[in-house]
Amino acid sequence: MTDSSPYVPPKVWTWDKENGGAFASINRPISGPTHDKELPVGKHPLQLYSLGTPNGVKVTILLEELLAAGHSGAEYDAWLINIRDGDQFGSGFVDVNPNSKIPALLDRSGPEPLRVFESGSILLYLAEKFGAFVPKDIAGRTETLNWLFWQMGSAPYLGGGFGHFYAYAPTKIEYAIDRFAMEVKRELDVLDKRLADHEYLAGSEYTIADMAVFPWYGGLVKGWAYDAAEFLSVHEYQHVQRWADQLYARPAVKRGRMVNKVTGEPSEQVPERHDASDFDGKSLA
């Protein structure tokens, strides 16, 4: 017989068992490394350690866009950090990002390597380093940062909230799925209303705000995330659909989505990226 008694939290929570789900074997309530492992270093000043998740794709889209715009200093090595295998808890990675989350960047172009972690910080750092994809006028810059930080605050409801309980949790919990589905649809509505009157999120200019939001919400309406397009009726958000299609038509966006990708069709995967030739023979249709 199944125990249907409601859960009563203890006075003090303790971690005494895995909680189930896709990442049960590596989740834990403490930080720091679990094993010694140095990070590889390639030939370029920019060393990216990442995985082709929405957070990782934000950065590789920007790097590919910078290269496409002629910023040769944005050449980079992208090394695979497989979070399902616990690579993010290696000592070298923890030195770059003490929070053990991808992506993490080392800029070795100066006298001392400079670490940059958290995807929003990396986007802003690179945009300012190369003077691209952030408007120079105060109004445009501020609107760009508004939407960049909107993504930082909103996406956890989509990923750790809706995505976890809908796709990854060991049991389906109606309350949790309903709670986060409602919030994700509200967020899509926010985007849809903004994009009804503006070509891009910050206005008429393509910026790092679009690059941050696209892998999460563009991916959702394109049907790439959690197999949830029908469940969330994403066809309703026509302006988000238009914007997502417009971004996906950009070759740099297609390349950025391939880097550090280890799922899907082999023709769309570039597990490590060290040179533009790594895209040779890949499907950019």
Side-chain angles (χ1 to χ4, degrees):
M1 180 179 296
T2 302
D3 182 6
S4 59
S5 302
Y7 170 67
V8 178
K11 285 189 175 182
V12 178
W13 182 85
T14 57
W15 184 59
D16 58 6
K17 62 182 183 299
E18 293 181 356
N19 64 354
F23 296 93
S25 64
I26 60 172
N27 287 338
R28 60 202 181 108
I30 57 174
S31 63
T34 60
H35 58 282
D36 291 328
K37 185 176 182 180
E38 293 186 7
L39 290 175
V41 177
K43 61 185 177 180
H44 301 299
L46 296 177
Q47 299 293 300
L48 180 68
Y49 305 95
S50 192
L51 181 66
T53 68
N55 281 335
V57 166
K58 299 176 198 175
V59 176
T60 49
I61 286 176
L62 173 56
L63 287 165
E64 292 297 328
E65 290 284 13
L66 287 167
L67 291 170
H71 297 280
S72 59
E75 273 291 355
Y76 68 104
D77 292 280
W79 302 94
L80 181 66
I81 300 295
N82 195 323
I83 61 175
R84 288 183 180 269
D85 293 342
D87 292 349
Q88 70 274 33
F89 298 116
S91 57
F93 188 87
V94 174
D95 284 344
V96 181
N97 185 356
N99 197 36
S100 292
K101 303 289 185 182
I102 61 94
L105 178 75
L106 266 183
D107 185 349
R108 302 173 66 90
S109 63
E112 295 291 335
L114 181 62
R115 74 178 188 182
V116 194
F117 62 89
E118 295 299 322
S119 58
S121 179
I122 297 172
L123 291 178
L124 188 56
Y125 173 80
L126 290 172
E128 291 185 335
K129 179 181 177 73
F130 293 101
F133 300 112
V134 172
K136 293 180 172 55
D137 65 287
I138 186 63
R141 175 184 170 81
T142 300
E143 192 66 9
T144 298
L145 296 185
N146 287 342
W147 288 103
L148 176 64
F149 286 101
W150 178 89
Q151 187 276 310
M152 303 298 136
S154 297
Y157 291 99
L158 171 53
F162 174 77
H164 175 76
F165 286 106
Y166 184 77
Y168 300 135
T171 58
K172 304 298 184 187
I173 302 172
E174 182 180 6
Y175 170 79
I177 293 173
D178 284 351
R179 168 68 179 85
F180 289 110
M182 177 181 66
E183 177 61 13
V184 169
K185 286 183 71 66
R186 188 194 67 81
E187 292 169 353
L188 285 169
D189 193 51
V190 170
L191 291 174
D192 206 57
K193 287 173 178 172
R194 172 65 180 175
L195 292 167
D197 301 320
H198 300 85
E199 185 175 9
Y200 299 107
L201 288 171
S204 60
E205 189 172 340
Y206 175 50
T207 71
I208 57 172
D210 300 288
M211 300 177 205
V213 173
F214 172 78
W216 283 104
Y217 296 90
L220 186 64
V221 300
K222 293 289 289 181
W224 301 329
Y226 312 123
D227 195 23
E230 181 179 7
F231 180 76
L232 294 172
S233 301
V234 299
H235 65 278
E236 297 173 350
Y237 307 101
Q238 296 181 10
H239 304 294
V240 182
Q241 293 277 4
R242 183 273 306 164
W243 166 83
D245 288 341
Q246 186 172 345
L247 264 63
Y248 190 56
R250 300 178 67 91
V253 171
K254 288 186 170 69
R255 290 193 297 272
R257 289 193 69 246
M258 293 182 180
V259 177
N260 296 141
K261 186 176 181 182
V262 292
T263 59
E265 294 296 324
S267 63
E268 298 175 350
Q269 298 179 32
V270 179
E272 289 187 1
R273 188 268 189 212
H274 305 289
D275 188 84
S277 63
D278 291 327
F279 296 103
D280 291 351
K282 299 300 179 180
S283 175
L284 291 169

